[in-house]
Amino acid sequence: MRYLILSDIHANLEALKAVLRHVRRKHFDHVLFLGDAVGYGASPNQVTGWLRSLGPEATSVRGNHDRVCAGLDGGEYFNRYARQASGWTFERLEARNLEWLRALPEGPAEVSPEVTICHGSTLDEDTYVFSSYDAQVAFSAVTQPVIFFGHTHVPSMFVLRTNPEAMSLRARLLSGRRVVVDLEEGERYLINPGSVGQPRDRDPRAAYAIYDTNARRLHLYRVLYRVEEARRRIIQAGLPPVLGDRLLYGA
Ligand code: ZN
């Protein structure tokens, strides 16, 4: 099985299109979407509509922005730019897209006995997994050896060696245009493929991953896209300009 793994698209149609173009000649069987389809960007309906069109070809979990933009909570804890964007998004979402977002399940979602997905952490969709402590907590809440998560917008990986005589937890940032990781037996993995639509690791290129379960091989890619166009459309839409500017720097 080959999974295409997408996270944190954030209504950035330009980035999503570039990823889909890049992935066109690579085979995949199923899409894993780790949440935050909308919020921040100018194309909530196009992005949600595309995800919706995948139907059973995708397994998806909700992100915190999906929850707030769909009106399921008020987003009181959001900063003012995120809150402005979620209000803007809620007002513009077509009924069928709003309905689809509202129906997205909260993670973790078990994909197979080997793989599970979540947005933030396995215990809570709003919790960020940045530190080894966060990772340890996330590992303890599920049994699958491979966990894909989003929310931080930083491509990264935690590896837990489960052999009781040599317990260890390693953390690694996964930066670069193309990164290959071979997953070992007897280890557990928490993997963030990075963000399609709002990278925050100082690399403005869109991020995504493909995981081949037979080969136990993960590919992470970074793809150039029309950042200026995404920024222009954010500003033209009346969204906070800072949400366009940050795309230029991947920050
Ligand atoms: Zn996000």
Side-chain angles (χ1 to χ4, degrees), residues 33 44 52 68 102 113 115 124 146 149 153 159 181 187 206 208:
F33 173 59
R52 198 164 46 76
V68 175
R102 281 174 177 258
V115 177
D124 174 24
V146 182
F149 72 103
H153 299 208
V159 185
V181 180
E187 300 199 318
Y208 77 95

Side-chain angles (χ1 to χ4, degrees), residues 32-96:
L32 302 180
F33 173 59
L34 314 182
D36 279 1
V38 297
Y40 297 135
S43 307
N45 283 305
Q46 291 94 323
V47 169
T48 310
W50 179 76
L51 285 165
R52 198 164 46 76
S53 75
L54 296 173
E57 288 166 43
T59 304
S60 303
V61 290
R62 160 179 101 173
N64 56 322
H65 285 259
D66 300 325
R67 189 183 72 228
V68 175
C69 291
L72 295 172
D73 94 39
E76 289 78 11
Y77 59 96
F78 269 14
N79 67 47
R80 69 190 168 108
Y81 302 121
R83 208 164 42 238
Q84 246 174 287
S86 62
W88 181 95
T89 304
F90 178 69
E91 282 166 24
R92 280 158 186 83
L93 278 168
E94 292 166 15
R96 55 193 176 158

Side-chain angles (χ1 to χ4, degrees), residues 118-201:
C118 61
H119 182 63
S121 177
T122 50
L123 280 169
D124 174 24
E125 66 189 352
D126 289 83
T127 296
Y128 290 95
V129 176
F130 273 122
S131 70
S132 295
Y133 173 77
D134 304 332
Q136 206 132 30
V137 173
F139 276 123
S140 68
V142 297
T143 56
Q144 284 82 359
V146 182
I147 307 161
F148 293 107
F149 72 103
H151 197 40
T152 64
H153 299 208
V154 175
S156 53
M157 176 171 88
F158 295 89
V159 185
L160 179 70
R161 188 177 289 268
T162 49
N163 177 349
E165 280 151 43
M167 261 293 243
S168 73
L169 184 63
R170 309 193 302 279
R172 184 182 157 193
L173 288 176
L174 302 170
S175 41
R177 189 176 62 85
R178 179 173 172 274
V179 179
V180 184
V181 180
D182 286 312
L183 278 62
E184 314 268 341
E185 294 283 350
E187 300 199 318
R188 296 183 70 199
Y189 294 84
L190 256 167
I191 298 164
N192 189 320
S195 165
V196 173
Q198 198 197 71
R200 292 181 192 161
D201 61 341

Side-chain angles (χ1 to χ4, degrees), residues 93-113:
L93 278 168
E94 292 166 15
R96 55 193 176 158
N97 290 335
L98 184 63
E99 199 181 317
W100 185 86
L101 283 169
R102 281 174 177 258
L104 273 177
E106 187 178 346
E110 185 177 328
V111 179
S112 75

